Amino acid sequence: MEETEEGHTQGEDGVADDSGPDQVESAVPIYTPDTDGPNTYPNDGEVPPSYSKAVSFDHLSVSSDTDDDKRMMVMTPDDSRSDYLDDSLLPSMTLELTANELLLNKMFYDEELEGSDKFYNSQPQLLQFCYAIYNMLVARSEMVCYLVIILNHLISASMVTLVLPILIFLWAMLSVPRPSKRFWMTAIVYTEVTIVIKYFFQFSFFPFNKNPSQNKNKPYHLPNIIGVEKKDGYVLYDLLQLLALFFHRSILKCYGLWDDDDPSEVKKKGLHKDDTEDEEQALTPAQERRGSAHSMKSVDLAASLESVHVRVPEHQMYQRRRSSGTNSHITRRSSRSIRGSTSTHSSRRNSEPGVQQKTRKELLLEKLREQLIKAKAFIIKKTLEIYRPIHQFFYNLIHPEYSAVTDVYVLMFLAETVDFIIIVFGFWAFGKSSGSADIASSLSEDQVPGAFLVMVLIQFGSMVVDRALYLKKTVMGKVIFQVILVFGIHFWMFFILPGVTERRFNQNKVAQIWYFVKCIYFGLSAYQIRCGYPTRVLGNFLTKSYNYVNLFLFQGFRLVPFLTELRAVMDWVWTDTTLSLSSWICVEDIYAHIFILKCWRESEKRYPQPRGQKKKKVVKYGMGGMIVALLICIVWFPLLFMSLVKSVAGVVNKPLDVSVTITLGGFEPIFKMSAQQKHLRDVSFKEFKAFKDTYKKDDDSIQFLELYTQPRSYHR
């Protein structure tokens, strides 16, 4: 046994024994939730009054890890005392709680907060709902800005409004952890400049504003493409966009996030080439790690300009050496003397025999060459200043310092599927003069629009590429695919498709819906890039849980022709495996069979039924009747589809040519008449009904006239 200080004894097991007679209780540091620093209270002191109202604390004796092995008193709530008896990490756990967790757990009591909660709960439900909507807008104010910018571009559809959506998908949504102040200032200033430009082009003295209604529907009219055409409410949505941006700016200022320094600027200040060695040594380890992680920015611009060589005469080099050796703070008088001495020296060199003086033309050529070299260096410098931040931005995305992996492939796939359905059922909106066509007639006459075919192939190809990137878990490929897709989709939808359909984008409702869903996909893709792919991905997301919904969806997925085989082959191609293709497909079949069995076993556990009893009528008519109705719909779906296709595809075709022939028996016709497009008159619904009522007793005539019946909404 060894004696320790203040009468403590320590045994062979290293545990301090407090049985000494001179045991002294002293003040120890106690950490409280509302303070960052330690507060010293005596062991027999009272708990601070701010804690006594919230919960009643008891004193617990907990052994400390300090060298003097003194006793420390820890406060714990009454209702959870038994849970904390064996936990010596209570102070550190309390310090790790956030302010929101402290408020929710009632760790301290505040009369104002309690009164605020009571006042809020006493308000009407409608007012509370409005409060919740406002809080949601405040919490997601950047999403509100994105939504307003995209809606403005949907309605305006011009080059002026095209810039900000592209910046959203390639800059703002890819920024970690949030878009920088530079982006929001760029969006605000750009919106203000756009409003001024649109206002300037509203004056009538411009030639294209003489007859604005004439060129309003032309897709390739230059003011329509730029977005400066004269119209009512030309800056309404731009003002709403500016209001949303200022709303987000005010929220960032309220939370102190607006004046947050740009990490790149801080890094440039910390790694400036004029810093002293002492300041470089004073950098913290976190800054050193940050500097090493982003070493791409430490490339000196002077190293890039060293490759530019300037060839100057010998006497000019002599003057440069003389001037470089002098002090930078030289006076005017000394500079004149140096200039005079150099000119005297050069005149002496020129007066020497054998040295030829250069002509005026050669001097002008030398000066021109020097100016060209300076211009080249200036262009290289400005190009690097633009290129390096962009390169560093995407480099940080591909090689993040911290990565919070996530998986939103299911949502991206659903968005792409919705776009595919929109293209299939709204194909008439992607072709020329096909607004009055229906699917049945187009397919029977082999008149599928070329733009529709291109969009279907591009949509399906993007889904395949996205699946490949998901299986390979490559962020670099996803970044490249995002850039190509953003620029390609915007160029196709706003510059090529209006020329194909001969309609402006803002007059094509189906294309607008398709583009809006595509923007949702772009946002999800940017979120996936920013967070990174998970290390383990699941082949089929429908097999994550075992219930009836997943079972029926999985069975429907397997019933689609060639879709199961296509997914299996794609998974085998882009997954690292030692199996052959046939073995991989066998494993997929085994996995599908096991999943179906697990779903049935899980349903038996959830809805048990004794053995030997017949099934209930609810189960038989519920599940069995639904399956019977589904099979009947599948069998008769083609006829149902063709009969209802007119309400899906649009307007029924109008007659283009009418021919009337009157004959008697088998003789030659005694009267012939034909009329074409402009000579045909549209009849009203009442006129057509009165004409049809005259032949209501003739079944053959009524059957013939039924073919030309049109919906009432299209009659005048």
Side-chain angles (χ1 to χ4, degrees):
M1 302 286 290
E2 297 180 1
E3 294 185 358
T4 59
E5 296 181 24
E6 298 179 358
H8 296 284
T9 57
Q10 186 175 4
E12 295 177 357
D13 53 355
V15 178
D17 188 7
D18 296 332
S19 60
D22 298 333
Q23 181 179 355
V24 179
E25 293 184 358
S26 60
V28 295
I30 299 178
Y31 295 93
T32 58
D34 57 343
T35 56
D36 295 333
N39 294 332
T40 305
Y41 297 104
N43 289 347
D44 55 351
E46 296 181 356
V47 180
S50 61
Y51 290 88
S52 60
K53 294 182 181 180
V55 289
S56 60
F57 292 95
D58 290 341
H59 298 288
L60 286 180
S61 176
V62 183
S63 61
S64 62
D65 297 333
T66 56
D67 295 336
D68 54 359
D69 199 18
K70 296 179 181 179
R71 310 295 290 173
M72 183 176 66
M73 312 306 296
V74 179
M75 298 178 295
T76 57
D78 287 339
D79 55 353
S80 60
R81 179 176 178 178
S82 60
D83 298 333
Y84 288 91
L85 288 176
D86 298 331
D87 192 0
S88 61
L89 299 178
L90 179 63
S92 61
M93 291 175 60
T94 307
L95 287 174
E96 291 176 358
L97 295 177
T98 62
N100 189 23
E101 292 173 347
L102 291 174
L103 290 173
L104 293 177
N105 295 331
K106 302 294 183 182
M107 294 299 295
F108 62 90
Y109 181 81
D110 193 343
E111 294 182 357
E112 294 182 359
L113 291 176
E114 192 71 21
S116 176
D117 291 340
K118 290 182 180 179
F119 175 77
Y120 177 77
N121 294 327
S122 63
Q123 298 301 313
Q125 295 292 331
L126 181 60
L127 188 59
Q128 292 186 19
F129 178 75
C130 295
Y131 284 154
I133 293 295
Y134 174 75
N135 292 330
M136 183 186 69
L137 294 179
V138 170
R140 292 289 181 266
S141 57
E142 71 279 0
M143 301 303 297
V144 176
C145 295
Y146 300 156
L147 180 62
V148 173
I149 290 173
I150 292 172
L151 290 178
N152 184 18
H153 184 53
L154 276 175
I155 296 171
S156 301
S158 60
M159 293 180 61
V160 175
T161 58
L162 180 63
V163 177
L164 288 182
I166 294 178
L167 291 181
I168 285 174
F169 299 128
L170 298 182
W171 182 7
M173 287 190 172
L174 296 177
S175 300
V176 179
R178 67 184 68 88
S180 61
K181 175 183 175 181
R182 183 178 299 175
F183 169 77
W184 297 116
M185 286 302 301
T186 302
I188 291 173
V189 173
Y190 185 82
T191 305
E192 293 173 347
V193 173
T194 301
I195 292 173
V196 174
I197 292 175
K198 286 186 176 181
Y199 172 76
F200 177 74
F201 281 98
Q202 295 301 308
F203 295 104
S204 300
F205 56 78
F206 289 102
F208 52 81
N209 287 336
K210 300 296 182 181
N211 296 317
S213 59
Q214 236 178 6
N215 303 320
K216 183 174 65 174
N217 298 326
K218 293 182 180 180
Y220 284 159
H221 186 54
L222 187 60
N224 296 343
I225 295 176
I226 299 175
V228 293
E229 71 274 12
K230 185 178 181 179
K231 61 180 180 180
D232 297 333
Y234 58 96
V235 290
L236 176 61
Y237 295 98
D238 294 289
L239 291 175
L240 292 176
Q241 176 178 315
L242 188 62
L243 182 63
L245 291 171
F246 277 118
F247 172 69
H248 179 66
R249 176 174 173 265
S250 65
I251 291 173
L252 292 180
K253 282 192 171 184
C254 179
Y255 288 100
L257 299 175
W258 179 254
D259 294 327
D260 191 12
D261 291 333
D262 192 0
S264 60
E265 295 178 0
V266 175
K267 206 168 297 175
K268 288 179 181 178
K269 293 178 181 178
L271 299 177
H272 199 272
K273 62 180 180 180
D274 294 333
D275 289 345
T276 60
E277 295 181 356
D278 296 335
E279 291 176 348
E280 291 178 355
Q281 293 176 359
L283 291 175
T284 60
Q287 290 175 343
E288 292 178 0
R289 289 194 299 269
R290 198 179 299 115
S292 61
H294 304 281
S295 59
M296 298 296 295
K297 281 190 177 181
S298 62
V299 179
D300 192 3
L301 183 62
S304 302
L305 300 178
E306 286 180 356
S307 59
V308 181
H309 300 284
V310 182
R311 185 174 182 180
V312 296
E314 184 179 356
H315 66 278
Q316 294 181 4
M317 293 295 294
Y318 178 78
Q319 291 181 4
R320 292 180 182 177
R321 293 195 186 101
R322 288 285 304 272
S323 61
S324 63
T326 57
N327 191 7
S328 60
H329 303 283
I330 193 167
T331 61
R332 293 184 178 179
R333 185 174 180 181
S334 60
S335 63
R336 290 195 193 101
S337 61
I338 292 173
R339 200 178 301 117
S341 62
T342 53
S343 61
T344 305
H345 181 76
S346 60
S347 62
R348 289 176 182 176
R349 291 179 58 89
N350 292 334
S351 62
E352 293 179 0
V355 178
Q356 297 180 356
Q357 293 184 356
K358 293 187 177 181
T359 61
R360 184 182 180 88
K361 183 178 180 181
E362 292 178 350
L363 292 175
L364 289 175
L365 290 176
E366 287 182 359
K367 289 182 179 180
L368 180 61
R369 192 180 299 111
E370 289 183 1
Q371 293 298 326
L372 290 176
I373 292 174
K374 288 181 181 179
K376 182 180 179 181
F378 179 78
I379 294 173
I380 293 175
K381 179 182 178 182
K382 292 301 179 182
T383 305
L384 289 177
E385 287 179 358
I386 298 173
Y387 166 75
R388 286 201 309 171
I390 298 175
H391 177 267
Q392 187 64 35
F393 178 78
F394 287 102
Y395 179 83
N396 294 337
L397 279 177
I398 299 171
H399 305 87
E401 186 175 359
Y402 304 103
S403 180
V405 295
T406 186
D407 189 358
V408 292
Y409 174 75
V410 177
L411 300 177
M412 289 192 294
F413 180 78
L414 290 178
E416 291 287 79
T417 304
V418 171
D419 270 342
F420 192 83
I421 294 173
I422 292 173
I423 292 174
V424 171
F425 286 95
F427 81 104
W428 50 269
F430 303 102
K432 180 180 179 180
S433 301
S434 58
S436 61
D438 57 69
I439 298 176
S441 60
S442 298
L443 294 180
S444 61
E445 297 174 4
D446 296 333
Q447 294 180 354
V448 179
F452 161 75
L453 185 60
V454 171
M455 291 195 67
V456 166
L457 294 178
I458 291 176
Q459 183 68 34
F460 191 77
S462 65
M463 295 172 70
V464 172
V465 174
D466 206 9
R467 177 71 178 178
L469 296 173
Y470 175 70
L471 294 174
K472 296 297 291 184
K473 300 183 287 293
T474 168
V475 179
M476 179 183 292
K478 185 65 176 176
V479 171
I480 297 173
F481 184 65
Q482 175 86 347
V483 173
I484 295 174
L485 207 59
V486 167
F487 281 106
I489 291 297
H490 284 86
F491 183 75
W492 169 264
M493 295 299 294
F494 298 98
F495 295 101
I496 298 180
L497 187 63
V500 174
T501 59
E502 296 182 351
R503 283 178 292 173
R504 296 186 62 182
F505 178 81
N506 51 13
Q507 297 174 350
N508 196 340
K509 301 300 180 184
V510 178
Q512 287 179 325
I513 297 173
W514 185 89
Y515 175 73
F516 184 77
V517 179
K518 201 70 176 180
C519 288
I520 296 175
Y521 166 77
F522 286 148
L524 293 171
S525 298
Y527 180 73
Q528 183 72 78
I529 293 171
R530 189 177 62 184
C531 297
Y533 283 105
T535 55
R536 179 183 177 272
V537 296
L538 190 63
N540 198 326
F541 64 90
L542 295 175
T543 59
K544 289 184 177 180
S545 58
Y546 308 103
N547 50 41
Y548 280 127
V549 176
N550 288 57
L551 175 61
F552 293 146
L553 290 177
F554 183 74
Q555 293 281 46
F557 167 76
R558 289 174 59 85
L559 290 176
V560 178
F562 304 108
L563 189 58
T564 305
E565 292 77 8
L566 178 62
R567 188 191 66 84
V569 174
M570 286 194 302
D571 291 358
W572 178 77
V573 170
W574 290 300
T575 303
D576 297 333
T577 180
T578 59
L579 298 176
S580 61
L581 180 58
S582 59
S583 301
W584 181 274
I585 295 177
C586 290
V587 171
E588 288 287 337
D589 292 338
I590 294 172
Y591 182 77
H593 185 66
I594 293 174
F595 170 75
I596 294 172
L597 291 178
K598 282 186 177 181
C599 289
W600 289 119
R601 298 293 83 80
E602 188 68 23
S603 64
E604 291 176 358
K605 291 180 182 179
R606 292 183 180 180
Y607 312 103
Q609 183 180 4
R611 296 181 180 276
Q613 292 186 3
K614 63 180 181 179
K615 294 291 182 181
K616 297 179 181 180
K617 293 184 178 180
V618 176
V619 178
K620 295 179 68 176
Y621 288 100
M623 184 174 65
M626 184 176 62
I627 294 175
V628 169
L630 181 62
L631 293 175
I632 291 174
C633 290
I634 292 174
V635 171
W636 297 104
F637 177 75
L639 295 179
L640 182 66
F641 181 75
M642 295 303 174
S643 63
L644 298 179
V645 76
K646 293 182 180 180
S647 62
V648 179
V651 188
V652 179
N653 285 333
K654 293 182 180 180
L656 301 178
D657 187 6
V658 174
S659 299
V660 178
T661 304
I662 299 177
T663 59
L664 294 174
F667 298 97
E668 292 292 329
I670 60 175
F671 178 77
K672 282 186 178 181
M673 187 273 295
S674 64
Q676 280 75 28
Q677 299 175 353
K678 295 182 179 180
H679 301 283
L680 298 177
R681 184 178 68 86
D682 293 338
V683 296
S684 63
F685 183 76
K686 293 181 179 179
E687 292 176 348
F688 185 76
K689 185 178 180 182
F691 177 73
K692 191 170 64 173
D693 289 341
T694 57
Y695 298 96
K696 61 183 178 180
K697 295 182 180 180
D698 191 351
D699 295 336
D700 296 335
S701 300
I702 292 296
Q703 186 178 3
F704 175 77
L705 293 175
E706 285 292 340
L707 298 175
Y708 296 96
T709 303
Q710 299 182 7
R712 295 190 180 185
S713 58
Y714 298 106
H715 286 279
R716 294 182 292 178

